[in-house]
């Protein structure tokens, strides 16, 4: 037996705003809301336990303690890396400095709440 990642939970000061950002980045849609204000997003026609993990944006007023110990990597599926970088920046991502040298093949970005993620070069096939 093995485990699968079913969802990634991200604390958010503004769950609606962060859900909107990540939905546009990933082509996800809202799957549901909980009474505590959490918003689940995932691929269209997806549900909990599907082949891809969903994201849950959970309301939190706790200050972020510093650099996160876990981050998300994304890969383009329908354009080159530079075109995707432009799109992500237009959606509200911003460059982030985590000590990279400038020789990396990826870009380090931050979402609207400052959570770092990387845009990798390799183009993946869409699912």
């Amino acid at each position: 037996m093995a485990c699968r990642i079913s969802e990634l939970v991200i604390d958010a000061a503004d769950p609606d705003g962060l859900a909107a950002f990540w939905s546009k980045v990933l082509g996800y849609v809202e799957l549901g809301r909980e009474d505590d204000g959490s918003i689940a997003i995932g691929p269209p026609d997806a549900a909990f336990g599907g082949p891809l993990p969903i994201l849950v944006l959970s309301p939190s007023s706790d200050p972020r303690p510093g650099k996160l110990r876990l981050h998300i990597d994304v890969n383009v599926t329908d354009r080159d890396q530079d075109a995707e970088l432009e799109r992500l920046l237009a959606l509200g991502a911003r460059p982030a400095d985590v000590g990279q040298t400038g020789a990396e093949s990826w870009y380090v970005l931050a979402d609207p709440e400052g959570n770092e993620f990387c845009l990798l070069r390799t183009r993946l096939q869409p699912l």
Side-chain angles (χ1 to χ4, degrees), residues 2-3 12 25 37-38 43 47 49 55 78 115 122 125:
C3 292
V25 169
S38 295
L55 295 181
D78 62 351
N115 301 304
T122 303
Q125 293 297 316

Short mmCIF file of all heavy atoms in Angstrom, two decimals, residues 2-3 12 25 37-38 43 47 49 55 78 115 122 125:
data_model
loop_
_atom_site.label_atom_id
_atom_site.label_comp_id
_atom_site.label_asym_id
_atom_site.label_seq_id
_atom_site.Cartn_x
_atom_site.Cartn_y
_atom_site.Cartn_z
N ALA A 2 0.36 2.30 -0.57
CA ALA A 2 1.05 3.58 -0.60
C ALA A 2 0.01 4.67 -0.39
O ALA A 2 -1.20 4.43 -0.46
CB ALA A 2 1.75 3.77 -1.94
N CYS A 3 0.48 5.87 -0.15
CA CYS A 3 -0.40 7.04 -0.01
C CYS A 3 -0.33 7.87 -1.28
O CYS A 3 0.61 7.78 -2.05
CB CYS A 3 0.06 7.90 1.17
SG CYS A 3 -0.16 7.14 2.77
N ALA A 12 -4.41 31.29 4.01
CA ALA A 12 -4.56 32.50 3.21
C ALA A 12 -5.26 33.59 4.01
O ALA A 12 -6.25 33.32 4.68
CB ALA A 12 -5.37 32.19 1.95
N VAL A 25 -4.04 30.41 -12.74
CA VAL A 25 -2.73 29.83 -13.02
C VAL A 25 -2.86 28.39 -13.53
O VAL A 25 -2.25 28.00 -14.52
CB VAL A 25 -1.81 29.86 -11.77
CG1 VAL A 25 -0.56 29.02 -11.97
CG2 VAL A 25 -1.44 31.30 -11.41
N GLY A 37 -14.87 28.93 5.81
CA GLY A 37 -14.38 29.86 4.81
C GLY A 37 -13.36 29.27 3.86
O GLY A 37 -12.88 29.96 2.96
N SER A 38 -13.00 28.01 4.06
CA SER A 38 -12.06 27.36 3.15
C SER A 38 -12.69 27.18 1.78
O SER A 38 -13.89 26.91 1.66
CB SER A 38 -11.66 25.98 3.68
OG SER A 38 -10.94 26.10 4.88
N PRO A 43 -9.17 20.69 -10.85
CA PRO A 43 -9.50 20.59 -12.27
C PRO A 43 -11.01 20.51 -12.47
O PRO A 43 -11.72 19.98 -11.62
CB PRO A 43 -8.83 19.29 -12.71
CG PRO A 43 -7.79 19.01 -11.67
CD PRO A 43 -8.32 19.59 -10.40
N ALA A 47 -12.91 15.94 -8.20
CA ALA A 47 -13.46 15.83 -6.85
C ALA A 47 -12.35 15.32 -5.95
O ALA A 47 -11.31 14.86 -6.41
CB ALA A 47 -14.65 14.88 -6.82
N GLY A 49 -10.03 13.09 -4.04
CA GLY A 49 -9.62 11.71 -4.32
C GLY A 49 -9.35 11.44 -5.78
O GLY A 49 -9.03 10.31 -6.15
N LEU A 55 -6.40 22.01 -4.40
CA LEU A 55 -5.87 23.01 -3.47
C LEU A 55 -7.01 23.47 -2.59
O LEU A 55 -8.13 23.71 -3.06
CB LEU A 55 -5.29 24.21 -4.21
CG LEU A 55 -4.07 23.99 -5.08
CD1 LEU A 55 -3.64 25.32 -5.70
CD2 LEU A 55 -2.94 23.37 -4.31
N ASP A 78 1.15 24.66 -22.69
CA ASP A 78 0.71 25.10 -24.02
C ASP A 78 1.46 26.31 -24.57
O ASP A 78 1.00 26.93 -25.52
CB ASP A 78 -0.79 25.40 -23.98
CG ASP A 78 -1.13 26.53 -23.02
OD1 ASP A 78 -0.25 26.98 -22.26
OD2 ASP A 78 -2.29 26.98 -23.03
N ASN A 115 3.56 33.58 -1.16
CA ASN A 115 3.97 32.17 -1.15
C ASN A 115 4.81 31.88 -2.38
O ASN A 115 4.35 32.07 -3.51
CB ASN A 115 2.74 31.25 -1.14
CG ASN A 115 1.87 31.51 0.06
OD1 ASN A 115 2.31 31.44 1.19
ND2 ASN A 115 0.61 31.83 -0.19
N THR A 122 10.53 22.79 -18.36
CA THR A 122 10.04 21.65 -19.12
C THR A 122 8.54 21.78 -19.40
O THR A 122 7.75 22.05 -18.50
CB THR A 122 10.31 20.34 -18.36
OG1 THR A 122 11.70 20.24 -18.10
CG2 THR A 122 9.83 19.14 -19.16
N GLN A 125 2.72 17.62 -21.06
CA GLN A 125 1.48 17.39 -21.80
C GLN A 125 0.30 17.72 -20.89
O GLN A 125 0.30 17.35 -19.72
CB GLN A 125 1.39 15.93 -22.26
CG GLN A 125 2.41 15.55 -23.30
CD GLN A 125 2.23 16.35 -24.58
OE1 GLN A 125 1.13 16.53 -25.07
NE2 GLN A 125 3.34 16.84 -25.11
#
